[in-house]
Amino acid sequence: KAGVTQTPRYLIKTRGQQVTLSCSPISGHRSVSWYQQTPGQGLQFLFEYFSETQRNKGNFPGRFSGRQFSNSRSEMNVSTLELGDSALYLCASSLLGIPRNEQFFGPGTRLTVL
Amino acid sequence: AQTVTQSQPEMSVQEAETVTLSCTYDTSESDYYLFWYKQPPSRQMILVIRQEAYKQQNATENRFSVNFQKAAKSFSLKISDSQLGDAAMYFCAYINNQGGKLIFGQGTELSVKP
C-alpha cells in the first residue's frame, strides 16, 4: 500500500500571498489530520477532516482553512501569509473505528515565507 | 484540556546501551491511546510503539518497550541495545477514543554515541 503523500514538498512564498497544500491519504483511510511543526511551538494540531466534514479544529486563526474531497484527499489553505507561518506542515491519515486510532504521517511540506 | 509533557529536551546514550525517555500526560478521560513517534532528520514521523490505556500490560516492539503507569499518568519509552539509527527526535503523543487529534509533547532529541 502506498503511504501518505504530500505535495509540494517545498514551497517559498512572500508575505501576503496565499498557499494551498495537498495531502493524499493511504487508500481506505477517511480521516485526514493536519499539523504545524515549528521550532518554537512544536507540533500543533490544525484540523481534522472525516468524510468531507471538519470534525476537529485546533486553535489557529481563520486564515488557516481546509477541505476534504470525496476521494478523501485533503487540502489546506493559508491566506495572507505571515512570516510566522513558516513551518513544516504534516498531514496524517487514519482508519477511524480501528481501536488504536493510529495516524500515519506524510513526509511534510516545508513552507518558507519571506 | 489534555496535555503531554516531555521534560528531557536532550538525551544521549552510548551505542548498545539502554536509555529511557520520560513522558507525563494529563487527562480526565478514561479511554485513550498513547504513542511514541520517532522523527529522524528526514522529518518523516514514524510510529515506534503504541499503548491502549485500558491494557495494563506494557507494550513492547523488539528493542522498544514502554512503562505505562496509568494512575501516575506516566508513559516512558525504553530503548535497549541502542543503535546509531535510533538517533532522532522522539515525541510522546496522546489521542482519545474519538481519534483525529494527536496531542504531542515537546520532544526529546536522542543522540547515540559510537
Side-chain angles (χ1 to χ4, degrees), chain A residues 9 31 33 35 37 43 45 48 55-57 88 90 96 99-107 110, chain B residues 33 35 37 39 42-45 47 50 52 54 91 95-105:
Chain A
R9 293 292 311 279
S31 169
S33 302
Y35 299 87
Q37 186 175 21
L43 280 154
F45 172 77
E48 181 226 357
R55 211 169 67 99
N56 285 293
K57 187 177 189 307
L88 180 68
L90 294 166
L96 290 185
R100 293 174 292 192
N101 281 326
E102 296 172 19
Q103 293 194 0
F104 298 87
F105 283 82
R110 169 74 66 184
Chain B
Y33 307 86
F35 305 92
Y37 280 91
Q39 189 179 43
S42 68
R43 295 302 202 177
Q44 177 71 56
M45 293 286 277
L47 179 64
R50 67 187 72 82
E52 294 89 337
Y54 61 85
F91 291 96
I95 198 167
N96 66 18
N97 66 346
Q98 301 301 313
K101 176 183 176 180
L102 276 167
I103 298 170
F104 288 92

Side-chain angles (χ1 to χ4, degrees), chain B residues 14-34:
Chain B
Q14 204 72 31
E15 196 176 6
E17 298 292 306
T18 296
V19 65
T20 299
L21 309 184
S22 301
C23 172
T24 58
Y25 61 95
D26 190 25
T27 183
S28 57
E29 297 171 314
S30 58
D31 193 10
Y32 53 89
Y33 307 86
L34 296 165

Side-chain angles (χ1 to χ4, degrees), chain A residues 54-74:
Chain A
Q54 189 179 84
R55 211 169 67 99
N56 285 293
K57 187 177 189 307
N59 189 25
F60 277 81
R63 301 185 297 108
F64 291 82
S65 63
R67 60 177 175 169
Q68 186 179 36
F69 302 95
S70 58
N71 62 357
S72 294
R73 188 177 71 86
S74 178

Side-chain angles (χ1 to χ4, degrees), chain B residues 43-91:
Chain B
R43 295 302 202 177
Q44 177 71 56
M45 293 286 277
I46 302 163
L47 179 64
V48 174
I49 198 166
R50 67 187 72 82
Q51 175 78 44
E52 294 89 337
Y54 61 85
K55 287 188 177 179
Q56 292 188 339
Q57 187 174 3
N58 289 324
T60 61
E61 287 285 345
N62 301 315
R63 298 183 295 107
F64 299 88
S65 62
V66 299
N67 183 2
F68 174 49
Q69 301 290 326
K70 190 171 183 179
K73 296 179 181 173
S74 169
F75 182 61
S76 61
L77 173 70
K78 185 171 84 171
I79 306 174
S80 304
D81 185 25
S82 296
Q83 300 175 0
L84 296 177
D86 295 334
M89 185 72 84
Y90 285 81
F91 291 96

